[in-house]
Amino acid sequence: QALDIYYNNVVKEILSGHQRFSFMGSEEETDVVQTNSHDKSDFVILFDPLDGSSNIDVNVSVGTIFSIYKKKKAISNPLDQCLQKGIEQVAAGYVIYGSSVVMVYTAGNGVHGFTYDPQIGEFILSHENIKIPTTSKYYSVNESLYPKCDKTNQTYIDQLKSSLSLRYVGSLVADFHR
């Protein structure tokens, strides 16, 4: 929990520093954060600063998830700025921190991955036009919730078990990246 709060403060400071965001919504905040540049900034960002932090003690990859929206001039309530429809996103993605640091994002024209090169301090395009495979070897689900699923979802999970291997880390970024 302490690391989540620390990292939340780091991310807020960085995002506030470049003055592109009017409002920020974080998993670690109870209220929307209004930046000092809210009157002249054009975007809203929602984020989970450290997804999977409960896995750090077992050396599993963690990450940051983000979603960006255009600020709507007609909306004065900061919460309403953060409750826009998913179709109104202008960009979304995640950064995964593991054996390498990779940022995967879309701005509506394909999904691209950039790997951080520490020698030059920059992210370099490493995965252009990423597509979800049409077939898979794995499925990822928290099977401890199986008894709480309705019959349709239990049947679906049973079908997955019959043909795929389970790989579940418990971190959206790590599981989705796989």
Side-chain angles (χ1 to χ4, degrees), residues 3-15:
L3 190 56
D4 285 313
I5 293 168
Y6 172 79
Y7 200 67
N8 183 63
N9 290 332
V10 169
V11 171
K12 284 191 319 184
E13 184 177 323
I14 290 168
L15 294 175

Side-chain angles (χ1 to χ4, degrees), residues 14 16-17 20 23-24 36-37 40 53 63-64 77 81 90 96-97 99 115 120 135-136 142-143 147 160 172 178:
I14 290 168
S16 294
R20 289 187 179 96
F23 305 104
M24 296 184 284
N36 291 335
S37 60
K40 58 185 177 246
S53 60
T64 301
N77 182 347
Q81 291 284 1
V90 294
I96 186 166
Y97 315 107
S99 57
T115 302
I120 62 172
T135 61
S136 179
N142 182 350
E143 287 203 25
L160 293 174
L172 181 138
R178 173 182 289 123

Side-chain angles (χ1 to χ4, degrees), residues 38-104:
H38 72 277
D39 54 341
K40 58 185 177 246
S41 302
D42 294 327
F43 296 97
V44 175
I45 187 164
L46 310 175
F47 59 91
D48 179 349
L50 200 56
D51 176 60
S53 60
S54 63
N55 291 324
I56 288 175
D57 61 337
V58 291
N59 203 27
V60 171
S61 296
V62 296
T64 301
I65 306 165
F66 63 90
S67 176
I68 300 172
Y69 294 85
K70 185 93 168 137
K71 181 174 77 174
K72 293 188 172 184
K73 305 282 187 222
I75 297 176
S76 59
N77 182 347
L79 181 59
D80 290 339
Q81 291 284 1
C82 295
L83 296 176
Q84 296 182 46
K85 296 176 183 176
I87 197 167
E88 295 172 319
Q89 285 181 327
V90 294
Y94 62 87
V95 180
I96 186 166
Y97 315 107
S99 57
S100 63
V101 177
V102 177
M103 178 179 67
V104 176

Side-chain angles (χ1 to χ4, degrees), residues 102-119:
V102 177
M103 178 179 67
V104 176
Y105 95 103
T106 183
N109 190 18
V111 177
H112 308 286
F114 298 81
T115 302
Y116 183 72
D117 184 336
Q119 291 182 334

